[in-house]
């Protein structure tokens, strides 16, 4: 080896060693993270609001995690097998897992969670378990068997922490779930435990010293900072008070500027599982909103391109129907609705609209949503529709949406990797149920839509599933049970010395298990 080659090789070795050392997780430290708005609660089995999931996804765990390509990874289940006929799923659980109160986590907890608790309260799991699952059984303390009524390929995608958080049987079995005092002090198996929640100020999570995955978590504690004003949240990052601005926590106009600050990284990764879809839900039970022509008129009246370019700073993409273009089985072969006020007026007049006031329930997630609501109010008034915006806080919005107390409701929902989990729930008749804002709250019901979603969920091949989902997308895009507005992109802005923050398909929602601070 020549001296030059040796020098280059040595330099490369030193560089490689330096990189390796730099990437060795450092133990300890505190990370301050913005959560916006303040979660209504942290009991993830009962509430799946975005802010709840961000915090509680680090307290609770599910059987599986998913990488950014949505491949299933071990979590509380260390392995799983699928029978040759695709009807039996057998999960082997990790050994030595305990709840935060020290009680052992076993197959009894899994069966209770999936067969009782979530079947009763969870708007996404309920339709799946009722339609697809024959039995959920304990084989032994560390083995659970789920037997399906028929093959249902999307089942392996159902075990994300917000969709199927494990719930402690010894605390909830035989109680009124929604009134259980433990809802205020959530007990999970996750890498962090709730230490303190000072309402209106912060949520303090501390390291679970008895966490089952040895060596994790790396961080000692997380403070989820609650800062009501978007400008103040940006200032908190600029002045070093916070380390992480989670998706949607600052005004979109500030994203480019903040991303250029020293020691600052930005990513839109970590939302692959969610592929959030923003929309307005008409309450079709309420008078003119049950009229298809009126809903089509509203869709033509809304300048969605303005919303994307101006309100959301160019982030995201205009949707064409119920399935995101980022999700499997998307089809663009649907009726389209370009911004056309003249067409909107024509349809609204033909619908028989007589000037009644439409109540538009704003989503209280910050200034950007409020501006979007005002822009749409203006769009609708420009075509002659009277609109009254209703503002409330997050608990108030949750209550109104859950109890169908609105005419038009702003919301955004996750697609969850497969239409059978994240899409069908908003349109099928069997999911018209009060108590959760993410069910079919608009009350839309069409037997043909129910049939297509049901058949698509269990069709044996992807081609057959695509054919059925193409049909249902075309049908829904004509009937407009919801008005689709935006396929959303949410940037996460963070200090570059916070490492391994976004490593899964749900980003910071379960990211602090592996994160560390340099």
């Amino acid at each position: 080896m020549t001296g030059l080659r040796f020098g280059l090789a040595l330099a490369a070795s030193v560089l490689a060693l330096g990189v390796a050392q730099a990437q060795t997780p450092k133990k300890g430290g505190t990370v301050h993270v913005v959560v916006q708005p303040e979660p209504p609660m942290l009991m993830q089995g009962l509430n799946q609001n975005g802010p709840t999931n961000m915090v509680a996804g680090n307290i609770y765990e599910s059987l599986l995690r998913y990488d950014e390509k949505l491949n299933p990874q071990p979590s509380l289940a260390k392995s799983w097998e699928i029978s040759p006929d695709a009807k039996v799923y057998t999960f082997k659980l990790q050994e030595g897992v305990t709840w935060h109160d020290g009680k052992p986590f076993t197959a009894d907890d899994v069966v209770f969670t999936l067969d009782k608790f979530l079947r009763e309260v969870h708007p996404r799991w309920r339709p799946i378990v009722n339609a697809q699952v024959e039995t959920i059984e304990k084989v032994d303390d560390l083995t659970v068997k789920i037997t399906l009524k028929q093959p249902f390929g999307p089942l392996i995608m159902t075990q994300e922490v917000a969709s199927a958080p494990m719930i402690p049987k010894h605390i909830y079995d035989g109680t009124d779930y929604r009134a259980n005092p433990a809802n205020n002090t959530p007990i999970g198996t996750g890498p962090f435990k709730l230490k303190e929640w000072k309402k209106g100020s912060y949520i303090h999570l501390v390291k679970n010293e008895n966490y089952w995955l040895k060596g994790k978590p790396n961080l000692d504690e997380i403070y989820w900072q609650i800062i009501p004003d978007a400008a103040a949240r940006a200032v908190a990052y600029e002045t070093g008070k916070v380390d992480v601005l989670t998706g949607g926590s600052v005004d979109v106009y500030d994203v480019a500027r903040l991303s250029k600050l020293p020691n600052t990284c930005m990513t839109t990764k970590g939302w692959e599982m969610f592929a959030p879809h923003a929309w307005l839900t008409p309450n079709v039970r309420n008078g003119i909103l049950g009229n298809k022509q009126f809903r089509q008129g509203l869709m033509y009246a809304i300048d969605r391109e303005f919303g994307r370019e101006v309100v959301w700073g160019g982030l995201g993409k205009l949707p064409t129907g119920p399935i995101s273009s980022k999700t499997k089985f998307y089809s663009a072969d649907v009726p389209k609705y370009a911004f056309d006020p003249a067409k909107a007026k024509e349809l609204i007049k033909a619908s028989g609209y007589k000037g009644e006031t439409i109540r538009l329930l704003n989503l209280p997630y910050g200034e950007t949503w409020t501006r979007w609501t005002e822009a749409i109010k203006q769009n609708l008034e420009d075509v002659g529709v009277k609109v009254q915006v209703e503002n409330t806080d997050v608990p108030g919005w949750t209550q109104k949406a859950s109890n169908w107390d609105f005419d038009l409701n702003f919301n955004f929902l996750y697609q969850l990797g497969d239409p059978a989990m994240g899409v069908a729930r908003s349109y099928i008749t069997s999911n018209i149920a009060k108590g959760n804002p993410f069910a079919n709250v608009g009350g839309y019901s069409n037997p043909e839509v129910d049939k297509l979603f049901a058949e698509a969920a269990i069709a044996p091949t992807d081609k057959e599933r695509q054919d059925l989902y193409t049909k249902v997308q075309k049908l829904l895009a004509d009937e407009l049970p919801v008005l689709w507005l935006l396929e959303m992109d949410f940037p996460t802005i963070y200090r570059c010395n916070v490492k391994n923050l976004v490593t899964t398909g749900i980003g910071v929602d379960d990211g602090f298990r592996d994160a560390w601070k340099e």
Side-chain angles (χ1 to χ4, degrees), residues 61-318:
E61 292 181 299
S62 50
L63 295 182
L64 302 175
R65 304 172 95 215
Y66 299 86
D67 66 19
E68 65 180 41
K69 296 186 182 301
L70 304 186
N71 297 309
Q73 307 291 314
S75 183
L76 289 174
K78 65 179 181 181
S79 64
W80 56 96
E81 293 180 357
I82 304 173
S83 64
D85 66 359
K87 291 178 64 177
V88 180
Y89 287 64
T90 303
F91 293 93
K92 291 284 187 181
L93 306 182
Q94 304 280 358
E95 299 172 356
V97 179
T98 58
W99 295 99
H100 292 166
D101 62 3
K103 302 290 185 183
F105 165 78
T106 72
D108 291 324
D109 295 301
V110 180
V111 174
F112 168 72
T113 296
L114 299 179
D115 205 23
K116 292 183 68 176
F117 189 98
L118 297 182
R119 185 194 291 270
E120 178 176 329
V121 304
H122 202 294
R124 296 201 294 267
W125 179 248
R126 179 173 51 234
I128 292 172
V129 70
N130 287 340
Q132 310 297 341
V133 176
E134 185 71 40
T135 59
I136 302 173
E137 302 170 277
K138 171 184 174 181
V139 178
D140 57 43
D141 281 349
L142 295 178
T143 309
V144 173
K145 183 171 70 174
I146 299 177
T147 302
L148 304 179
K149 296 176 181 175
Q150 58 273 314
F152 178 64
L155 186 83
I156 201 64
M157 300 296 293
T158 61
Q159 298 303 308
E160 178 265 331
V161 65
S163 298
M166 290 297 117
I167 306 299
K169 179 181 178 182
H170 65 281
I171 293 176
Y172 282 91
D173 195 16
T175 73
D176 180 347
Y177 303 151
R178 294 177 178 83
N180 193 307
N183 295 339
N184 298 318
T185 54
I187 299 294
T189 61
F192 289 91
K193 303 187 294 185
L194 176 66
K195 173 71 173 179
E196 181 186 17
W197 184 351
K198 188 173 183 180
K199 294 293 177 73
S201 183
Y202 61 80
I203 300 169
H204 184 197
L205 304 187
V206 297
K207 177 178 183 175
N208 176 6
E209 299 286 355
N210 298 313
Y211 189 52
W212 57 271
L213 186 57
K214 300 306 178 190
K216 299 288 181 71
N218 299 301
L219 296 167
D220 285 337
E221 55 186 354
I222 309 166
Y223 280 91
W224 294 86
Q225 301 288 349
I226 299 157
I227 305 171
D229 179 70
R233 291 191 287 274
V235 171
Y237 184 82
E238 291 176 286
T239 58
K241 181 180 178 182
V242 300
D243 302 299
V244 181
L245 294 167
T246 52
S249 62
V250 294
D251 196 310
V252 292
Y253 305 110
D254 282 330
V255 170
R257 179 178 61 81
L258 293 170
S259 298
K260 294 175 182 173
L261 293 174
N263 187 32
T264 295
C265 293
M266 189 276 277
T267 182
T268 57
K269 290 186 175 180
W271 293 83
E272 293 82 4
M273 175 65 82
F274 305 137
H277 222 54
W279 65 54
L280 287 170
T281 305
N283 190 338
V284 300
R285 310 170 187 86
N286 291 359
I288 193 66
L289 290 160
N291 184 295
K292 182 176 79 172
Q293 280 185 309
F294 184 73
R295 298 195 299 271
Q296 291 174 333
L298 298 183
M299 195 64 156
Y300 278 116
I302 297 172
D303 190 349
R304 298 186 298 161
E305 190 67 34
F306 176 87
R308 189 183 77 89
E309 290 297 324
V310 178
V311 179
W312 288 96
L315 293 168
K317 180 180 178 182
L318 297 190

Side-chain angles (χ1 to χ4, degrees), residues 336-508:
K336 306 292 198 307
Y337 297 88
F339 177 51
D340 189 341
K343 182 76 171 175
K345 289 180 180 177
E346 178 185 322
L347 284 164
I348 289 168
K349 181 179 180 181
S351 73
Y353 174 64
K354 299 186 184 307
E356 52 267 47
T357 298
I358 304 298
R359 298 174 299 143
L360 170 55
L361 182 59
N362 181 34
L363 186 64
Y365 277 17
E367 291 81 356
T368 304
W369 291 92
T370 299
R371 289 174 190 161
W372 204 8
T373 297
E374 290 297 329
I376 288 174
K377 175 177 185 287
Q378 186 62 55
N379 285 157
L380 300 184
E381 290 182 341
D382 286 346
V383 297
V385 177
K386 293 180 181 177
V387 177
Q388 175 186 326
V389 174
E390 294 190 344
N391 293 302
T392 180
D393 56 12
V394 174
W397 176 87
T398 301
Q399 183 175 27
K400 282 178 172 288
S402 300
N403 294 316
W404 313 337
D405 183 13
F406 62 87
D407 291 330
L408 283 174
N409 176 38
F410 237 126
N411 203 350
F412 70 98
L413 270 74
Y414 297 157
Q415 300 265 309
L416 300 168
D418 192 289
M421 273 106 61
V423 179
R425 58 181 167 142
S426 298
Y427 309 100
I428 57 176
T429 306
S430 61
N431 213 29
I432 299 175
K434 285 188 175 181
N436 193 295
F438 308 115
N440 180 356
V441 296
Y444 171 79
S445 178
N446 182 330
E448 179 65 13
V449 168
D450 295 344
K451 181 171 180 285
L452 287 168
F453 271 124
E455 291 177 352
I458 61 172
T461 68
D462 279 357
K463 181 183 183 308
E464 290 169 276
R465 296 191 72 197
Q466 180 66 71
D467 290 344
L468 293 161
Y469 281 129
T470 296
K471 289 180 182 176
V472 80
Q473 286 172 85
K474 187 177 291 187
L475 179 53
L476 289 172
D478 175 60
E479 299 207 328
L480 294 178
V482 304
L483 313 181
W484 305 286
L485 301 177
L486 188 65
E487 294 180 7
M488 310 187 75
D489 275 341
F490 283 130
T492 299
I493 300 170
Y494 60 101
R495 310 284 177 208
C496 295
N497 63 327
V498 178
K499 306 293 186 182
N500 284 1
L501 178 63
V502 175
T503 59
T504 71
I506 63 171
V508 298

